[in-house]
Amino acid sequence: MSIRLYVGNLPAELDRQALEKIFNESGDSVSLKVITDRKTGKCRGFGFVTVGSDEVADIVIEKFNGYDFNGAVLKLEKALPRTKGKAEDGSDLEEGADDSSESKSESSVTSTVDAPIKAAAKRKKRNNNNKKTTSSTSSSSSSSEAHQPDPRWASELERLKQQLLEAQGAAK
């Protein structure tokens, strides 16, 4: 059973080969995945190392947690499995991605099929948000009702306005 380890505090200007070399020094076969920004291609500051067993994972964590890599102190811990739910962008997250029984080829086919659908959903959501902001700014500028205070706070707001007017009048 393979164990995924989270590697945090990676520098943005990352030399992937140097990092792979460091982890391969542990003697066991490890695979490294560095998470990069889609636009810039730079490291986002974290990645994942996959090792063969729990014992090897503990050894790698013990050896490299706090390791100084190009001036950055690495943080290693066992990665938590992904949780099922909604991501910030509204797409579904997979549950137990690390513990899934799918082969890599099946999961890569699924992700390539889902990718265009998710991208289209993001564009649609983005376009809907743009339409909402455009219409709300035009209606709020022409309507005085949009500036009405929340009724739960109206009395408190009125009291604060009166205090402000009194303070301004006393200052003159």
Side-chain angles (χ1 to χ4, degrees), residues 4-150:
R4 259 182 116 171
L5 303 176
Y6 165 84
V7 182
N9 201 28
L10 293 173
E13 299 297 329
L14 175 71
D15 182 12
R16 183 184 164 87
Q17 285 78 22
L19 189 62
E20 279 181 342
K21 182 180 176 186
I22 290 170
F23 282 112
N24 285 332
E25 287 175 2
S26 65
D28 298 303
S29 64
V30 296
S31 66
L32 175 68
K33 178 170 177 84
V34 176
I35 308 302
T36 56
D37 186 83
R38 289 181 186 159
K39 293 180 182 176
T40 63
K42 291 185 179 181
C43 177
R44 291 186 59 198
F46 68 99
F48 296 96
V49 173
T50 305
V51 295
S53 68
D54 236 356
E55 295 80 24
V56 175
D58 292 336
I59 292 169
V60 170
I61 290 172
E62 190 175 310
K63 186 174 182 180
F64 294 110
N65 193 25
Y67 183 85
D68 186 356
F69 178 71
N70 295 344
V73 178
L74 299 181
K75 177 183 178 185
L76 266 78
E77 57 190 39
K78 289 185 180 176
L80 300 174
R82 292 183 181 178
T83 57
K84 187 170 182 112
K86 297 286 182 184
E88 290 178 353
D89 62 358
S91 63
D92 288 334
L93 292 175
E94 297 174 20
E95 183 175 349
D98 300 329
D99 301 328
S100 68
S101 59
E102 294 179 354
S103 68
K104 282 191 172 191
S105 62
E106 289 175 343
S107 63
S108 65
V109 169
T110 304
S111 64
T112 54
V113 170
D114 289 344
I117 296 169
K118 289 179 182 178
K122 283 182 186 179
R123 281 192 299 273
K124 184 176 180 183
K125 184 177 179 182
R126 195 177 313 130
N127 289 340
N128 285 343
N129 286 343
N130 289 344
K131 289 177 187 174
K132 288 177 189 175
T133 55
T134 306
S135 63
S136 66
T137 52
S138 61
S139 64
S140 64
S141 61
S142 63
S143 171
S144 63
E145 293 175 5
H147 298 289
Q148 294 297 321
D150 187 336

